[in-house]
Amino acid sequence: MFLRGDTTVSGAIGVDEGIVSFGGGKTLTSGRGSITAAGTRDADVEISGAGTRWTVGSDLTLGETGGSGSGNLWIWNQAEVSTGTLDVGSGSRAKVDVSGAGSRLSVATGAAVGSGPGGEGALVLSDDGVAEIGGGTGTLELGKSTGSSGTLVFGAQEGAAPVAAGTLLAGTVAFGPGDGGIVFNHTDAAYDFAADVTGDGSLAFRNGETQLTGDYSGFTGSAEIYRTGAARLQSNFTGDIGLHSGVVYTLDTTLAGHLTVNDGA
């Protein structure tokens, strides 16, 4: 379905299967939003172009019904989406992809990726796309619930060729009791990741050079640095580090965990 004019829906907009696409500077306003992937096929909402905007008054939920498809939101080419809260992967697979300079996802309060049992979510930020949580000081939760998984990706997802990273504007990334990970698979030479990180999760430095300038005193997980990846640790880092022919720079940093050097990819 293609939306060709400005549209306002006072209740909820729900996409169970298929594709909703709009652009050309059009605006969509709704009270709530859900991209469920309730059946066997994916459910996709594609938003692109300068001035194109979807404003959700309260909550936006992706992958909430436990279907076998994936609920996906694509924000491209200077488009914008704003919502009160965001849940990605609340009961099935889901992904939010923010790509391109000027493309922006704004969440007023809470955001969770891998938010419900059985949920598998990803937030992918590439090519200068931006996600802002709580005005830049809020919390992004990864693997919020037991039995869920949530991944934050800068650049491209693991297994894909690296691309330029996007930006997360948030005070904290918090790993929950589910499986959570942050993937750095980008082409930047000195990418600055400034958010504080807490909880037990994994950091994977696949490609590019990344500086960790946030507070990691509450981080209890691990970092893996691969052959074409590099990490600059500029705060006290409490997690374990596995070095797989990659590069780690410790700039007057205290490493409270274990440092293991492994041969391999």
Coordinates of all heavy atoms in Angstrom, one line a residue, residues 143-216:
G143 N 17.5 -6.8 25.2 CA 17.2 -8.1 25.8 C 16.5 -7.8 27.2 O 16.9 -8.3 28.2
K144 N 15.4 -7.1 27.1 CA 14.8 -6.6 28.3 C 14.2 -7.7 29.1 O 14.1 -7.6 30.4 CB 13.7 -5.6 27.9 CG 12.9 -5.0 29.1 CD 11.8 -4.0 28.6 CE 11.0 -3.5 29.7 NZ 10.0 -2.5 29.2
S145 N 13.7 -8.7 28.4 CA 13.0 -9.8 29.1 C 13.7 -11.1 29.0 O 14.4 -11.4 28.0 CB 11.5 -10.0 28.6 OG 10.8 -8.8 28.7
T146 N 13.6 -12.0 30.0 CA 14.1 -13.4 29.9 C 13.5 -14.1 28.6 O 12.3 -14.0 28.4 CB 13.8 -14.2 31.1 OG1 14.4 -13.5 32.3 CG2 14.3 -15.6 31.0
G147 N 14.4 -14.7 27.8 CA 13.9 -15.3 26.6 C 13.8 -14.5 25.4 O 13.4 -14.9 24.4
S148 N 14.3 -13.2 25.5 CA 14.3 -12.3 24.4 C 15.8 -12.1 24.0 O 16.7 -12.4 24.7 CB 13.7 -11.0 24.8 OG 14.5 -10.3 25.7
S149 N 16.0 -11.5 22.8 CA 17.3 -11.1 22.4 C 17.2 -9.7 21.7 O 16.2 -9.5 20.9 CB 17.9 -12.1 21.4 OG 17.2 -12.2 20.2
G150 N 18.1 -8.9 21.9 CA 18.1 -7.5 21.4 C 19.5 -7.1 21.0 O 20.5 -7.3 21.7
T151 N 19.7 -6.6 19.8 CA 21.0 -6.2 19.2 C 20.9 -4.8 18.7 O 20.0 -4.4 18.0 CB 21.4 -7.1 18.1 OG1 21.3 -8.5 18.5 CG2 22.8 -6.8 17.6
L152 N 21.9 -4.0 19.1 CA 22.1 -2.6 18.6 C 23.3 -2.7 17.6 O 24.4 -3.2 18.0 CB 22.4 -1.7 19.7 CG 22.9 -0.3 19.4 CD1 21.9 0.5 18.6 CD2 23.3 0.5 20.6
V153 N 23.1 -2.2 16.4 CA 24.1 -2.4 15.3 C 24.5 -1.0 14.8 O 23.7 -0.2 14.5 CB 23.6 -3.2 14.1 CG1 24.6 -3.3 13.0 CG2 23.2 -4.6 14.6
F154 N 25.8 -0.8 14.8 CA 26.4 0.4 14.1 C 27.1 0.0 12.8 O 28.1 -0.7 12.8 CB 27.4 1.1 15.1 CG 26.7 1.7 16.3 CD1 26.8 1.0 17.5 CD2 26.1 2.9 16.3 CE1 26.2 1.5 18.6 CE2 25.5 3.4 17.4 CZ 25.5 2.7 18.6
G155 N 26.5 0.5 11.7 CA 27.0 0.1 10.4 C 26.1 -1.0 9.8 O 24.9 -0.8 9.6
A156 N 26.6 -2.2 9.6 CA 25.9 -3.3 9.0 C 25.8 -4.5 10.0 O 26.7 -4.6 10.9 CB 26.5 -3.8 7.8
Q157 N 24.8 -5.3 9.9 CA 24.6 -6.5 10.8 C 25.8 -7.5 10.5 O 26.4 -7.5 9.5 CB 23.3 -7.1 10.6 CG 22.1 -6.3 11.1 CD 20.8 -6.9 10.9 OE1 20.2 -6.8 9.8 NE2 20.3 -7.5 12.0
E158 N 26.0 -8.3 11.5 CA 27.1 -9.3 11.4 C 26.9 -10.2 10.2 O 25.8 -10.6 9.9 CB 27.2 -10.1 12.7 CG 27.8 -9.3 13.8 CD 28.1 -10.2 15.0 OE1 27.2 -10.5 15.8 OE2 29.3 -10.6 15.2
G159 N 28.0 -10.4 9.5 CA 27.9 -11.2 8.2 C 27.8 -10.4 7.0 O 28.0 -10.9 5.9
A160 N 27.4 -9.1 7.1 CA 27.3 -8.2 5.9 C 28.5 -7.3 5.8 O 29.3 -7.1 6.8 CB 26.1 -7.4 6.1
A161 N 28.8 -6.8 4.6 CA 29.9 -5.9 4.4 C 29.7 -4.6 5.3 O 28.6 -4.1 5.3 CB 30.0 -5.6 3.0
P162 N 30.8 -4.1 5.9 CA 30.6 -2.9 6.7 C 30.2 -1.7 5.9 O 30.6 -1.6 4.7 CB 32.0 -2.8 7.3 CG 32.9 -3.4 6.4 CD 32.2 -4.6 5.8
V163 N 29.5 -0.8 6.5 CA 29.1 0.5 6.0 C 29.3 1.6 7.0 O 29.6 1.2 8.2 CB 27.7 0.5 5.4 CG1 27.5 -0.5 4.3 CG2 26.7 0.3 6.6
A164 N 29.2 2.8 6.7 CA 29.4 3.9 7.7 C 28.4 3.7 8.8 O 27.2 3.3 8.6 CB 29.2 5.2 7.0
A165 N 28.8 4.1 10.0 CA 27.9 4.0 11.2 C 26.9 5.1 11.3 O 27.1 6.2 10.7 CB 28.8 4.0 12.4
G166 N 25.8 4.9 12.0 CA 24.9 5.9 12.4 C 25.2 6.3 13.8 O 26.3 6.0 14.4
T167 N 24.3 7.1 14.5 CA 24.5 7.6 15.8 C 23.4 7.3 16.7 O 22.2 7.5 16.4 CB 24.7 9.2 15.7 OG1 25.8 9.5 14.9 CG2 25.0 9.8 17.1
L168 N 23.7 6.9 18.0 CA 22.7 6.8 19.0 C 22.9 7.9 20.0 O 24.0 8.1 20.6 CB 22.9 5.4 19.8 CG 22.0 5.2 21.0 CD1 20.5 5.0 20.5 CD2 22.5 4.1 21.8
L169 N 21.8 8.7 20.2 CA 21.8 9.7 21.2 C 21.0 9.2 22.4 O 19.8 9.2 22.4 CB 21.2 11.0 20.6 CG 21.9 11.6 19.4 CD1 21.2 12.8 18.9 CD2 23.4 11.9 19.7
A170 N 21.7 8.7 23.4 CA 21.1 8.2 24.6 C 22.1 8.3 25.8 O 23.3 8.3 25.6 CB 20.7 6.7 24.4
G171 N 21.6 8.3 27.0 CA 22.4 8.4 28.1 C 23.0 7.0 28.4 O 24.2 6.9 28.8
T172 N 22.2 5.9 28.3 CA 22.6 4.6 28.8 C 22.0 3.6 27.8 O 20.9 3.6 27.3 CB 22.1 4.3 30.2 OG1 22.5 5.3 31.1 CG2 22.5 3.0 30.7
V173 N 22.9 2.5 27.6 CA 22.4 1.3 27.0 C 22.5 0.2 28.1 O 23.5 0.0 28.7 CB 23.3 0.9 25.8 CG1 22.8 -0.5 25.3 CG2 23.2 1.9 24.7
A174 N 21.3 -0.4 28.4 CA 21.2 -1.3 29.5 C 20.9 -2.7 29.0 O 19.8 -2.9 28.4 CB 20.1 -0.8 30.5
F175 N 21.8 -3.6 29.3 CA 21.5 -5.0 29.0 C 20.6 -5.6 30.1 O 20.8 -5.5 31.3 CB 22.8 -5.8 28.9 CG 23.6 -5.5 27.8 CD1 24.9 -4.9 27.9 CD2 23.2 -5.8 26.5 CE1 25.7 -4.6 26.9 CE2 24.0 -5.5 25.4 CZ 25.3 -4.9 25.6
G176 N 19.5 -6.3 29.7 CA 18.6 -6.9 30.6 C 18.9 -8.4 30.8 O 20.0 -8.9 30.4
P177 N 17.9 -9.2 31.3 CA 18.1 -10.6 31.5 C 18.1 -11.5 30.3 O 18.5 -12.6 30.4 CB 17.0 -11.0 32.5 CG 15.9 -10.0 32.2 CD 16.6 -8.7 31.8
G178 N 17.7 -10.9 29.2 CA 17.7 -11.7 27.9 C 19.1 -11.6 27.3 O 20.1 -11.2 28.0
D179 N 19.2 -12.0 26.0 CA 20.5 -11.9 25.3 C 20.6 -10.6 24.6 O 19.7 -10.2 23.8 CB 20.6 -13.0 24.3 CG 20.7 -14.4 24.9 OD1 21.2 -14.5 26.0 OD2 20.2 -15.4 24.3
G180 N 21.7 -9.8 24.9 CA 21.8 -8.5 24.4 C 23.2 -8.3 23.8 O 24.2 -8.9 24.3
G181 N 23.3 -7.6 22.7 CA 24.6 -7.4 22.1 C 24.7 -6.0 21.3 O 23.6 -5.5 20.9
I182 N 25.9 -5.5 21.2 CA 26.1 -4.3 20.4 C 27.2 -4.7 19.4 O 28.2 -5.3 19.7 CB 26.7 -3.1 21.3 CG1 25.7 -2.8 22.4 CG2 26.9 -1.9 20.4 CD1 26.2 -1.7 23.3
V183 N 26.9 -4.4 18.1 CA 27.8 -4.8 17.0 C 28.3 -3.5 16.4 O 27.6 -2.7 16.0 CB 27.0 -5.6 16.0 CG1 27.9 -5.9 14.8 CG2 26.6 -7.0 16.6
F184 N 29.7 -3.5 16.3 CA 30.3 -2.4 15.6 C 30.9 -3.0 14.3 O 31.9 -3.6 14.3 CB 31.4 -1.8 16.4 CG 30.9 -1.2 17.7 CD1 31.0 -2.0 18.9 CD2 30.4 0.1 17.8 CE1 30.6 -1.4 20.1 CE2 29.9 0.6 19.0 CZ 30.0 -0.2 20.1
N185 N 30.2 -2.7 13.2 CA 30.6 -3.3 11.9 C 30.5 -2.2 10.9 O 29.6 -2.1 10.0 CB 29.7 -4.5 11.5 CG 30.2 -5.2 10.2 OD1 31.3 -5.1 9.9 ND2 29.2 -5.8 9.5
H186 N 31.5 -1.2 11.0 CA 31.4 0.0 10.2 C 32.7 0.3 9.5 O 33.7 -0.4 9.7 CB 31.0 1.2 11.1 CG 31.9 1.4 12.3 ND1 33.1 2.0 12.2 CD2 31.7 1.1 13.6 CE1 33.6 2.1 13.4 NE2 32.8 1.5 14.3
T187 N 32.7 1.4 8.8 CA 33.9 1.8 8.1 C 34.6 3.1 8.6 O 35.5 3.6 8.0 CB 33.6 2.1 6.6 OG1 32.5 3.0 6.5 CG2 33.1 0.8 5.9
D188 N 34.1 3.5 9.8 CA 34.7 4.8 10.3 C 36.1 4.6 10.9 O 36.4 3.5 11.5 CB 33.7 5.3 11.4 CG 32.4 5.7 10.9 OD1 31.9 5.0 10.0 OD2 31.8 6.7 11.3
A189 N 36.9 5.6 10.9 CA 38.2 5.5 11.4 C 38.3 5.8 12.9 O 39.2 5.3 13.5 CB 39.2 6.4 10.6
A190 N 37.4 6.6 13.4 CA 37.5 6.9 14.8 C 36.1 7.2 15.3 O 35.7 8.3 15.6 CB 38.4 8.1 15.1
Y191 N 35.3 6.2 15.4 CA 33.9 6.3 15.7 C 33.7 6.4 17.2 O 34.3 5.6 18.0 CB 33.1 5.1 15.2 CG 31.6 5.2 15.6 CD1 30.8 6.1 14.9 CD2 31.0 4.5 16.6 CE1 29.4 6.3 15.2 CE2 29.7 4.7 16.9 CZ 28.9 5.5 16.2 OH 27.6 5.7 16.5
D192 N 33.0 7.4 17.7 CA 32.9 7.7 19.2 C 31.5 7.2 19.6 O 30.5 7.7 19.2 CB 33.0 9.2 19.4 CG 32.9 9.5 20.9 OD1 33.2 8.6 21.7 OD2 32.6 10.7 21.3
F193 N 31.5 6.2 20.5 CA 30.3 5.7 21.1 C 30.3 6.1 22.6 O 31.1 5.6 23.4 CB 30.3 4.1 21.1 CG 29.0 3.5 21.7 CD1 27.8 4.0 21.3 CD2 29.2 2.6 22.7 CE1 26.6 3.4 21.9 CE2 28.0 2.0 23.3 CZ 26.8 2.4 22.9
A194 N 29.4 7.1 22.9 CA 29.6 7.9 24.1 C 28.6 7.4 25.2 O 28.7 7.9 26.4 CB 29.4 9.3 23.9
A195 N 27.6 6.6 24.9 CA 26.7 6.2 26.0 C 27.3 5.3 27.0 O 28.3 4.6 26.8 CB 25.5 5.4 25.3
D196 N 26.8 5.4 28.3 CA 27.1 4.5 29.3 C 26.5 3.1 29.0 O 25.5 3.0 28.4 CB 26.6 5.0 30.7 CG 27.2 6.3 31.1 OD1 28.2 6.7 30.5 OD2 26.5 7.0 31.9
V197 N 27.2 2.1 29.5 CA 26.7 0.7 29.2 C 26.7 -0.1 30.5 O 27.7 -0.1 31.3 CB 27.6 0.0 28.2 CG1 27.1 -1.5 28.0 CG2 27.5 0.7 26.8
T198 N 25.5 -0.7 30.8 CA 25.4 -1.5 32.0 C 24.9 -2.9 31.7 O 24.3 -3.1 30.7 CB 24.4 -0.8 33.0 OG1 23.1 -0.7 32.4 CG2 24.9 0.7 33.3
G199 N 25.1 -3.8 32.7 CA 24.5 -5.1 32.6 C 25.4 -6.1 31.9 O 26.6 -5.8 31.5
D200 N 24.9 -7.3 31.7 CA 25.6 -8.4 31.1 C 25.2 -8.6 29.7 O 24.2 -9.2 29.4 CB 25.3 -9.7 31.9 CG 26.2 -10.9 31.5 OD1 27.0 -10.7 30.6 OD2 26.0 -12.0 32.1
G201 N 26.1 -8.2 28.8 CA 25.8 -8.4 27.3 C 27.2 -8.5 26.6 O 28.2 -8.6 27.2
S202 N 27.1 -8.5 25.3 CA 28.3 -8.7 24.5 C 28.5 -7.5 23.6 O 27.6 -6.9 23.0 CB 28.2 -10.0 23.7 OG 27.2 -9.9 22.7
L203 N 29.8 -7.2 23.3 CA 30.2 -6.1 22.4 C 31.1 -6.8 21.3 O 32.0 -7.5 21.7 CB 31.1 -5.1 23.1 CG 30.5 -4.4 24.3 CD1 31.5 -3.4 24.8 CD2 29.2 -3.8 24.1
A204 N 30.7 -6.7 20.0 CA 31.5 -7.3 19.0 C 32.0 -6.2 18.1 O 31.3 -5.5 17.4 CB 30.6 -8.2 18.2
F205 N 33.4 -6.1 18.0 CA 34.1 -5.1 17.2 C 34.5 -5.8 15.9 O 35.6 -6.4 15.9 CB 35.2 -4.5 17.9 CG 34.9 -3.8 19.2 CD1 34.7 -4.4 20.4 CD2 34.6 -2.4 19.2 CE1 34.4 -3.8 21.5 CE2 34.3 -1.7 20.3 CZ 34.1 -2.4 21.5
R206 N 33.6 -5.8 14.9 CA 33.9 -6.5 13.7 C 34.7 -5.7 12.7 O 35.7 -6.3 12.1 CB 32.6 -6.9 13.0 CG 31.8 -8.0 13.7 CD 32.5 -9.3 13.6 NE 31.8 -10.4 14.2 CZ 32.2 -11.7 14.2 NH1 33.3 -12.0 13.5 NH2 31.6 -12.6 14.9
N207 N 34.4 -4.5 12.4 CA 35.1 -3.7 11.5 C 35.1 -2.2 12.0 O 34.2 -1.8 12.7 CB 34.5 -3.7 10.1 CG 34.8 -5.0 9.4 OD1 35.9 -5.2 8.8 ND2 33.8 -5.9 9.4
G208 N 36.1 -1.5 11.5 CA 36.2 -0.1 11.9 C 36.9 0.1 13.3 O 37.1 -0.8 14.0
E209 N 37.2 1.4 13.6 CA 37.8 1.7 14.9 C 36.8 2.4 15.7 O 36.2 3.4 15.3 CB 39.0 2.6 14.7 CG 39.7 2.9 16.0 CD 40.9 3.8 15.8 OE1 41.8 3.4 15.0 OE2 41.0 4.9 16.4
T210 N 36.5 2.0 17.0 CA 35.5 2.5 17.8 C 36.1 2.9 19.1 O 36.8 2.2 19.8 CB 34.4 1.5 18.1 OG1 33.9 1.0 16.8 CG2 33.3 2.1 18.9
Q211 N 35.7 4.2 19.6 CA 36.1 4.7 20.9 C 35.0 4.5 21.8 O 33.9 5.0 21.6 CB 36.5 6.1 20.8 CG 37.4 6.5 19.7 CD 37.8 8.0 19.8 OE1 38.8 8.4 20.4 NE2 37.0 8.9 19.2
L212 N 35.2 3.9 23.0 CA 34.2 3.8 24.0 C 34.5 4.9 25.1 O 35.4 4.8 25.9 CB 34.2 2.4 24.7 CG 34.1 1.2 23.8 CD1 34.1 -0.1 24.6 CD2 32.8 1.3 22.9
T213 N 33.7 5.9 25.1 CA 33.9 7.1 26.0 C 32.9 7.2 27.1 O 33.0 8.1 27.9 CB 34.0 8.4 25.2 OG1 32.8 8.5 24.4 CG2 35.2 8.4 24.2
G214 N 32.0 6.2 27.2 CA 31.0 6.2 28.3 C 31.5 5.5 29.5 O 32.7 5.1 29.6
D215 N 30.7 5.4 30.5 CA 31.0 4.7 31.8 C 30.7 3.3 31.7 O 29.5 2.9 31.4 CB 30.2 5.4 32.9 CG 30.5 4.8 34.3 OD1 31.3 3.9 34.4 OD2 29.9 5.3 35.2
Y216 N 31.6 2.4 31.9 CA 31.5 0.9 31.9 C 31.6 0.3 33.2 O 31.8 -0.9 33.3 CB 32.4 0.3 30.8 CG 32.0 0.6 29.4 CD1 32.2 1.8 28.8 CD2 31.4 -0.4 28.7 CE1 31.7 2.1 27.5 CE2 30.9 -0.2 27.4 CZ 31.1 1.0 26.8 OH 30.7 1.3 25.5

